[in-house]
Amino acid sequence: MSAVPDFALDPNAVLQDTDAAWRHGAPPGYSNTRKVFEESKQTNHESGSLEAIVIANIVKNWEIEASFKPSVSDWRTVDPEKYSFSMNGGEPRPAEHMLKVGTYNAILTESNFYSPANNDFESSHKTFKRMMPTFAWEVLEVYSGPPKVAFKWRHWGVMKNDYVGYNEKKQKVRVKAHGGLIDIQGVTVATVNDGLKVEKLETWFDPLAMFKQVSKDSDVIVEEDSV
């Protein structure tokens, strides 16, 4: 295997890419998310769990690039010639698809709470970042090593503000913040090359898991105004 790249060793490696084009003109801040991760993670991978540490760093850097680098040519975590992303056995999509619709729209489905078709890249990120200012991520278990790494993950945050989004009927949906934990888990198979660049991401999870927890203790209000 080639020398281990920085994005497999440091979860914030790509934030140092000052020559890259960034969606908002500069690298985003992840200090609060990393703080929440350290304070509330469920796992502590020992030195013998190198695969878990490496894949966690790769995915964290990939998420930064997918969310904030608008040009695939600036993505260091993937092989742009081979890279694809798929959800729940669906059609593999190239990086350009996620850049167009946004990371949330790429993984969520049409429902009474939310509609990828009725929320664009910017509005989708505004909806979920407003509701959960930090959304930490960790690897729980690793089932196989490179080149095909299968692992279980956890994505979590606190619902600090109201959820506001547009559903499949183009209606505005509002759920009052309950201040509780939103905890989502799933499984991903990441195919990586010799340089640990991602060639394929295949993910499985319940797209409604977040909304089930968002609305658990709150009234769901459907407002009249629509997109």
Side-chain angles (χ1 to χ4, degrees):
M1 180 175 287
S2 305
V4 178
D6 63 343
F7 58 76
L9 300 173
D10 176 1
N12 301 310
V14 300
L15 292 174
Q16 311 306 315
D17 296 349
T18 55
D19 293 336
W22 291 94
R23 187 170 297 277
H24 302 297
Y30 269 72
S31 59
N32 288 337
T33 297
R34 301 296 185 246
K35 183 174 183 291
V36 169
F37 167 77
E38 292 296 338
E39 293 174 345
S40 55
K41 62 183 178 178
Q42 293 183 349
T43 54
N44 285 289
H45 298 296
E46 302 297 332
S47 58
S49 303
L50 183 60
E51 290 171 351
I53 297 171
V54 166
I55 196 64
N57 289 334
I58 292 173
V59 172
K60 286 178 180 179
N61 280 295
W62 166 86
E63 187 274 330
I64 294 171
E65 294 191 313
S67 297
F68 296 102
K69 285 184 176 181
S71 175
V72 179
S73 63
D74 285 330
W75 291 22
R76 295 199 288 118
T77 56
V78 308
D79 179 344
E81 299 298 322
K82 297 182 178 181
Y83 173 79
S84 67
F85 179 91
S86 65
M87 281 296 306
N88 295 332
E91 178 185 355
R93 301 279 193 171
E96 287 78 8
H97 173 73
M98 190 170 283
L99 283 175
K100 178 181 179 180
V101 304
T103 51
Y104 290 104
N105 287 337
I107 66 173
L108 295 175
T109 55
E110 301 289 319
S111 73
N112 291 330
F113 290 95
Y114 186 80
S115 165
N118 295 322
N119 296 270
D120 61 18
F121 192 120
E122 295 300 329
S123 66
S124 66
H125 279 251
K126 181 178 179 180
T127 289
F128 296 110
K129 287 292 290 182
R130 175 178 52 204
M131 181 180 76
M132 289 185 297
T134 60
F135 202 19
W137 187 92
E138 69 176 326
V139 170
L140 296 176
E141 298 178 83
V142 177
Y143 306 118
S144 63
K148 186 166 285 192
V149 189
F151 57 96
K152 182 179 180 180
W153 50 263
R154 172 181 178 241
H155 216 353
W156 76 98
V158 173
M159 187 183 182
K160 292 190 174 182
N161 299 298
D162 292 358
Y163 166 77
V164 182
Y166 289 93
N167 67 13
E168 59 187 358
K169 297 178 181 179
K170 298 185 179 181
Q171 299 167 316
K172 181 183 283 188
V173 178
R174 182 183 299 272
V175 183
K176 185 174 178 58
H178 54 57
L181 182 68
I182 306 297
D183 192 317
I184 304 162
Q185 297 186 11
V187 173
T188 293
V189 176
T191 302
V192 298
N193 64 19
D194 188 57
L196 295 178
K197 288 180 180 289
V198 177
E199 296 182 346
K200 182 190 296 184
L201 285 176
E202 301 168 276
T203 291
W204 290 265
F205 88 113
D206 178 3
L208 290 178
M210 175 165 56
F211 299 112
K212 292 173 183 176
Q213 296 176 61
V214 164
S215 61
K216 182 177 180 180
D217 300 313
S218 304
D219 292 331
V220 178
I221 301 171
V222 180
E223 301 182 356
E224 292 299 323
D225 58 322
S226 62
V227 291

